[in-house]
Amino acid sequence: MKKFTLVLVGLVVLLPFTLTAQNVYDSFGAMSAWRAGSGDWAATNGDLIQRDKNAGIARVDRPYRQSGEVTVEFAVRYIDGGFKSEADAMRGHYHGGFGIHVGVRNPALGKRAWGNGESVLMWLNLDTRPETLRNYPEHYGFRAQIYRSTSNVDMDLIRDPALRPIIGTDAMTLDIIAALRDAGIMVTVDDLVYLLAAHMNEYWPIAIQFNTVTGDVWVEDPTLPGLWYWMQLDPSFLRGDYVALRTNSLSLGVDFFQARSH
């Protein structure tokens, strides 16, 4: 948790890795090793789909031992949800999130839970509701957030006072729109929503790389391939035996899931 900042690098900077036996590739002809905890998950026509757009803490878990350098990749598509009503959508009041738990130990297998054992949740959240801006400003807008779960009921944003001079808060919650603006890329939330609407049911690539020895984490921006966010966490947070996908108030489809340790 030493640093949480925006780093721009080309894909060529990330060198190819040598694969080992610690690899998984799920094409979702069936649920296979995935086990739903909450939400309505199903493997359909090669997709892992969370079908309940109203599920608040939907989650599905998969065993996968994470050690050393780890790469996780999958593709995700928006299906439905992200707003309470058509009237809210017309007003631009959105609320939906998606992410992945890594380094999961003692997961809440088969259970609905706020946390997920001991794990790190890497979370993309869009929340433009007025009440969020008023009461929880660190969650407002389009955010990349990092949570630390210590049990099935205890999970919160990771905090470090050293972050405040960098991003204006001690919580690991990065305003992506502001970060892009600082990098000279002018994007608004309206642009993001328009982009999703214009590419409905198209897949967005997700790529995450982390090191369970050094704590280095790289996350690629799904809207701008080649743009990577870097942070450093306590490496012990990243070692685990499970990973989990999670949604909030969204119906999504995952096209494939592959993970490899090097």
Side-chain angles (χ1 to χ4, degrees), residues 27-65:
S27 56
F28 300 120
M31 288 293 286
S32 186
W34 294 88
R35 182 176 176 183
S38 55
D40 184 9
W41 299 88
T44 304
N45 297 323
D47 271 10
L48 176 64
I49 297 178
Q50 204 294 99
R51 298 178 291 193
D52 185 355
K53 67 178 181 180
N54 298 312
I57 49 176
R59 195 194 74 257
V60 62
D61 302 282
R62 190 204 196 286
Y64 171 62
R65 183 172 180 80

Coordinates of all heavy atoms in Angstrom, one line a residue, residues 27-65:
S27 N -13.4 -21.6 -20.5 CA -14.1 -21.1 -21.6 C -15.6 -21.1 -21.4 O -16.4 -20.8 -22.2 CB -13.8 -21.8 -22.9 OG -14.0 -23.2 -22.7
F28 N -16.0 -21.6 -20.2 CA -17.4 -21.6 -19.7 C -18.4 -22.4 -20.5 O -19.5 -21.9 -20.8 CB -17.9 -20.1 -19.5 CG -17.0 -19.4 -18.5 CD1 -16.3 -18.2 -18.9 CD2 -16.9 -19.8 -17.2 CE1 -15.5 -17.5 -18.0 CE2 -16.1 -19.1 -16.3 CZ -15.4 -18.0 -16.7
G29 N -17.9 -23.5 -21.0 CA -18.9 -24.5 -21.5 C -19.8 -25.0 -20.4 O -20.9 -25.5 -20.6
A30 N -19.3 -24.9 -19.1 CA -20.0 -25.3 -17.9 C -19.5 -24.5 -16.8 O -18.4 -23.8 -16.9 CB -19.9 -26.8 -17.7
M31 N -20.1 -24.5 -15.6 CA -19.7 -23.8 -14.5 C -18.3 -24.3 -14.0 O -17.5 -23.6 -13.4 CB -20.7 -23.8 -13.3 CG -21.9 -23.0 -13.6 SD -21.6 -21.2 -13.5 CE -21.3 -20.9 -11.8
S32 N -18.1 -25.6 -14.2 CA -16.8 -26.2 -13.9 C -16.4 -25.9 -12.4 O -17.2 -26.2 -11.5 CB -15.7 -25.8 -14.9 OG -14.5 -26.5 -14.7
A33 N -15.3 -25.3 -12.2 CA -14.8 -25.1 -10.8 C -15.4 -23.9 -10.2 O -15.1 -23.6 -9.0 CB -13.2 -25.0 -10.9
W34 N -16.2 -23.1 -10.9 CA -16.8 -21.9 -10.3 C -18.0 -22.2 -9.5 O -18.8 -23.1 -9.9 CB -17.2 -20.9 -11.5 CG -16.0 -20.4 -12.2 CD1 -15.4 -21.0 -13.3 CD2 -15.3 -19.2 -11.9 NE1 -14.4 -20.2 -13.7 CE2 -14.3 -19.1 -12.9 CE3 -15.5 -18.2 -10.9 CZ2 -13.4 -18.0 -12.9 CZ3 -14.6 -17.1 -11.0 CH2 -13.5 -17.1 -11.9
R35 N -18.1 -21.6 -8.3 CA -19.2 -21.8 -7.4 C -19.8 -20.5 -7.0 O -19.1 -19.6 -6.4 CB -18.7 -22.6 -6.1 CG -19.8 -22.9 -5.1 CD -19.2 -23.7 -4.0 NE -20.2 -24.0 -3.0 CZ -20.0 -24.6 -1.8 NH1 -18.8 -25.0 -1.6 NH2 -21.0 -24.8 -1.0
A36 N -21.1 -20.4 -7.2 CA -21.8 -19.2 -6.9 C -22.0 -19.0 -5.4 O -22.3 -19.9 -4.7 CB -23.2 -19.1 -7.6
G37 N -21.7 -17.8 -5.0 CA -22.0 -17.4 -3.6 C -23.3 -16.7 -3.4 O -24.1 -16.9 -2.6
S38 N -23.5 -15.7 -4.3 CA -24.8 -15.0 -4.4 C -24.9 -14.4 -5.8 O -24.0 -14.3 -6.5 CB -24.7 -13.8 -3.3 OG -23.6 -13.0 -3.5
G39 N -26.2 -14.0 -6.1 CA -26.5 -13.6 -7.5 C -26.9 -14.8 -8.3 O -27.1 -16.0 -7.7
D40 N -27.2 -14.6 -9.5 CA -27.7 -15.7 -10.4 C -26.7 -15.9 -11.5 O -26.8 -15.3 -12.6 CB -29.1 -15.2 -11.0 CG -29.7 -16.3 -11.8 OD1 -29.3 -17.4 -11.8 OD2 -30.7 -16.0 -12.5
W41 N -25.8 -16.8 -11.2 CA -24.7 -17.1 -12.1 C -25.0 -18.4 -12.9 O -25.5 -19.4 -12.4 CB -23.4 -17.3 -11.4 CG -22.9 -16.1 -10.6 CD1 -23.3 -15.8 -9.3 CD2 -22.0 -15.1 -11.0 NE1 -22.6 -14.6 -8.9 CE2 -21.9 -14.2 -10.0 CE3 -21.3 -14.8 -12.2 CZ2 -21.1 -13.0 -10.0 CZ3 -20.5 -13.7 -12.3 CH2 -20.4 -12.8 -11.2
A42 N -24.6 -18.3 -14.2 CA -24.8 -19.5 -15.1 C -23.8 -19.5 -16.2 O -23.4 -18.4 -16.7 CB -26.2 -19.6 -15.6
A43 N -23.3 -20.7 -16.6 CA -22.5 -20.8 -17.8 C -23.4 -21.0 -19.0 O -24.1 -22.1 -19.1 CB -21.5 -21.9 -17.7
T44 N -23.4 -20.1 -20.0 CA -24.4 -20.1 -21.1 C -23.7 -19.8 -22.4 O -23.1 -18.7 -22.5 CB -25.6 -19.2 -20.9 OG1 -26.2 -19.5 -19.6 CG2 -26.6 -19.3 -22.0
N45 N -23.6 -20.7 -23.3 CA -23.1 -20.4 -24.6 C -21.6 -19.8 -24.6 O -21.3 -18.9 -25.3 CB -23.9 -19.5 -25.4 CG -25.3 -20.1 -25.7 OD1 -25.5 -21.2 -26.0 ND2 -26.3 -19.2 -25.7
G46 N -20.8 -20.4 -23.7 CA -19.5 -20.0 -23.5 C -19.2 -18.7 -22.7 O -18.1 -18.2 -22.7
D47 N -20.3 -18.2 -22.1 CA -20.2 -17.1 -21.2 C -20.5 -17.5 -19.7 O -21.4 -18.3 -19.5 CB -21.2 -16.0 -21.6 CG -20.6 -15.0 -22.6 OD1 -19.5 -15.3 -23.1 OD2 -21.2 -14.0 -22.9
L48 N -19.8 -16.9 -18.8 CA -20.3 -16.9 -17.4 C -21.1 -15.7 -17.2 O -20.5 -14.6 -17.2 CB -19.1 -17.0 -16.5 CG -19.4 -16.9 -15.0 CD1 -20.2 -18.2 -14.5 CD2 -18.1 -16.8 -14.1
I49 N -22.4 -15.8 -16.9 CA -23.3 -14.7 -16.8 C -23.8 -14.5 -15.4 O -24.3 -15.5 -14.8 CB -24.4 -14.8 -17.9 CG1 -23.9 -14.9 -19.3 CG2 -25.4 -13.7 -17.7 CD1 -24.9 -15.1 -20.3
Q50 N -23.8 -13.3 -14.9 CA -24.5 -12.9 -13.7 C -25.8 -12.3 -14.2 O -25.8 -11.2 -14.7 CB -23.7 -12.0 -12.9 CG -24.1 -12.0 -11.4 CD -25.5 -11.5 -11.1 OE1 -26.4 -12.2 -10.9 NE2 -25.6 -10.1 -11.1
R51 N -27.0 -13.0 -14.1 CA -28.2 -12.6 -14.7 C -29.1 -11.7 -13.9 O -30.0 -11.1 -14.5 CB -29.0 -13.9 -15.1 CG -28.2 -14.8 -16.1 CD -29.0 -16.0 -16.4 NE -29.1 -17.0 -15.2 CZ -29.4 -18.2 -15.3 NH1 -29.8 -18.7 -16.5 NH2 -29.5 -19.0 -14.3
D52 N -28.8 -11.5 -12.6 CA -29.6 -10.6 -11.8 C -29.1 -9.2 -11.7 O -28.1 -9.0 -11.0 CB -29.7 -11.3 -10.4 CG -30.7 -10.5 -9.5 OD1 -31.3 -9.5 -9.9 OD2 -30.9 -11.0 -8.3
K53 N -29.7 -8.3 -12.5 CA -29.2 -6.9 -12.5 C -29.4 -6.2 -11.2 O -28.8 -5.1 -11.0 CB -29.8 -6.2 -13.7 CG -31.3 -5.9 -13.5 CD -31.9 -5.1 -14.6 CE -33.4 -4.8 -14.4 NZ -33.9 -4.0 -15.5
N54 N -30.2 -6.7 -10.3 CA -30.5 -6.1 -9.1 C -29.7 -6.6 -7.9 O -29.8 -6.0 -6.8 CB -32.0 -6.2 -8.7 CG -32.9 -5.5 -9.8 OD1 -32.6 -4.4 -10.2 ND2 -33.9 -6.2 -10.2
A55 N -28.9 -7.7 -8.1 CA -28.2 -8.3 -7.0 C -27.1 -7.3 -6.5 O -26.3 -6.8 -7.3 CB -27.5 -9.6 -7.5
G56 N -27.1 -7.0 -5.2 CA -26.2 -6.0 -4.7 C -24.8 -6.5 -4.4 O -23.8 -5.8 -4.6
I57 N -24.6 -7.7 -4.0 CA -23.3 -8.3 -3.7 C -23.1 -9.7 -4.3 O -22.9 -10.6 -3.6 CB -22.9 -8.3 -2.2 CG1 -24.1 -8.9 -1.4 CG2 -22.7 -6.8 -1.7 CD1 -23.7 -9.0 0.1
A58 N -23.3 -9.7 -5.6 CA -23.2 -11.0 -6.3 C -21.8 -11.4 -6.4 O -20.9 -10.6 -6.7 CB -23.8 -10.9 -7.7
R59 N -21.5 -12.7 -6.2 CA -20.1 -13.2 -6.2 C -20.1 -14.7 -6.6 O -20.9 -15.4 -6.3 CB -19.5 -13.1 -4.8 CG -18.0 -13.2 -4.7 CD -17.5 -13.4 -3.3 NE -17.8 -14.7 -2.8 CZ -18.8 -15.1 -2.0 NH1 -19.6 -14.1 -1.5 NH2 -18.9 -16.3 -1.7
V60 N -19.0 -15.0 -7.4 CA -18.7 -16.4 -7.7 C -17.3 -16.7 -7.5 O -16.4 -15.9 -7.9 CB -19.2 -16.7 -9.2 CG1 -18.4 -15.8 -10.2 CG2 -19.1 -18.1 -9.5
D61 N -16.9 -17.8 -6.9 CA -15.6 -18.2 -6.5 C -15.0 -19.3 -7.4 O -15.7 -20.2 -7.8 CB -15.5 -18.6 -5.1 CG -16.1 -17.5 -4.1 OD1 -15.4 -16.5 -3.9 OD2 -17.3 -17.6 -3.7
R62 N -13.7 -19.3 -7.5 CA -12.9 -20.4 -8.2 C -11.6 -20.7 -7.4 O -10.9 -19.7 -7.1 CB -12.6 -20.0 -9.6 CG -12.1 -21.1 -10.4 CD -11.3 -20.7 -11.6 NE -11.1 -21.8 -12.6 CZ -10.3 -22.9 -12.4 NH1 -9.6 -23.0 -11.3 NH2 -10.3 -23.8 -13.3
P63 N -11.3 -21.9 -7.2 CA -10.0 -22.2 -6.6 C -8.9 -21.9 -7.6 O -9.0 -22.3 -8.8 CB -10.1 -23.7 -6.3 CG -11.2 -24.3 -7.2 CD -12.1 -23.1 -7.4
Y64 N -7.9 -21.3 -7.1 CA -6.7 -21.0 -7.9 C -5.6 -20.5 -7.0 O -5.7 -19.4 -6.4 CB -6.9 -20.0 -9.0 CG -5.7 -19.5 -9.7 CD1 -4.9 -20.4 -10.4 CD2 -5.2 -18.2 -9.7 CE1 -3.7 -20.0 -11.0 CE2 -4.0 -17.8 -10.3 CZ -3.3 -18.7 -10.9 OH -2.1 -18.3 -11.5
R65 N -4.5 -21.2 -6.9 CA -3.4 -20.9 -5.9 C -2.6 -19.8 -6.6 O -2.0 -19.9 -7.7 CB -2.6 -22.1 -5.6 CG -1.5 -21.8 -4.6 CD -0.8 -23.0 -4.1 NE 0.3 -22.7 -3.2 CZ 0.1 -22.5 -1.9 NH1 -1.1 -22.5 -1.4 NH2 1.1 -22.2 -1.1

